[in-house]
Amino acid sequence: MQAHLAAHDDDMWYIITDGPMKILKVNKAAITTEGAPQMVEKHCSEWTSEDKKKANLDNVAKDILYKTLEKNIFSKIKTCTTTKEIWEKLTQLCESNDQTKENKLIVAIQKFDNAKMKPGETLVEFDERFSSIIIKLIYLGKEYSNREISLKVIRALP
């Protein structure tokens, strides 16, 4: 069962990076000059149940991506027709240049420096908001020690 899942994951990654799978068969009417069989696309009427599963992987991968994207990102990729197109568009949208990353880091550091518990905010709400700042900082390559974070939290409390 694990080997089957690993093969499925490999197929899924192939779909994302190379595009929808073409279901092929040996062309018995032609042999290449090297003696290797020539491959041609199978007509859908010839597909086995395994072929149908592989042919549908692009739809499965698109569905997974659609369900994980925020609405503002989804609107930017909704015209893409294949998972590969979606992946390329997401890569383009999400891989910021160095200047953009630096700007995001500066904003995140300012949020960290200015973090204060808001009037009427519960400790749980503050913790969630503060944790999201820390997570963003880590993602952008900036990490604070536990001591620095603890001191910041103490100073942020009323």
Side-chain angles (χ1 to χ4, degrees):
M1 181 67 171
Q2 291 291 354
H4 177 69
L5 289 175
H8 183 70
D9 290 344
D10 290 342
D11 289 343
M12 192 68 76
W13 188 245
Y14 173 88
I15 298 293
I16 291 169
T17 58
D18 296 333
M21 280 197 176
K22 291 180 174 42
I23 308 303
L24 304 174
K25 68 177 182 178
V26 174
N27 182 2
K28 295 179 182 176
I31 302 285
T32 61
T33 55
E34 296 84 31
Q38 181 187 22
M39 302 303 284
V40 293
E41 256 187 269
K42 268 189 194 180
H43 187 271
C44 60
S45 64
E46 300 175 275
W47 288 357
T48 64
S49 60
E50 188 63 29
D51 292 340
K52 290 174 185 174
K53 286 179 188 174
K54 285 186 176 188
N56 192 46
L57 281 177
D58 191 60
N59 292 327
V60 172
K62 279 192 289 188
D63 187 55
I64 291 168
L65 289 174
Y66 289 161
K67 288 178 179 176
T68 59
L69 296 174
E70 295 178 11
K71 286 181 183 177
N72 64 330
I73 298 291
F74 178 77
S75 66
K76 294 175 183 173
I77 58 95
K78 67 183 176 187
T79 58
C80 297
T81 57
T82 66
T83 306
K84 181 180 181 187
E85 288 177 35
I86 293 170
W87 188 254
E88 289 169 352
K89 184 72 171 182
L90 288 172
T91 301
Q92 178 187 19
L93 291 169
C94 296
E95 284 186 349
S96 307
N97 63 32
D98 290 339
Q99 185 60 47
T100 303
K101 186 175 180 181
E102 183 66 27
N103 290 341
K104 287 179 180 181
L105 179 59
I106 289 168
V107 169
I109 290 171
Q110 287 174 341
K111 284 183 180 182
F112 176 85
D113 291 343
N114 297 326
K116 296 277 185 207
M117 192 168 173
K118 297 175 182 176
E121 185 176 40
T122 67
L123 279 173
V124 171
E125 291 167 337
F126 172 73
D127 181 58
E128 287 175 6
R129 189 168 55 85
F130 189 74
S131 293
S132 71
I133 295 169
I134 298 297
I135 290 166
K136 182 140 192 157
L137 285 164
I138 292 168
Y139 171 75
L140 294 168
K142 175 73 172 159
E143 292 191 42
Y144 291 96
S145 69
N146 285 339
R147 184 177 187 280
E148 290 171 306
I149 292 171
S150 298
L151 288 172
K152 182 60 194 166
V153 168
I154 290 169
R155 288 187 200 119
L157 300 174

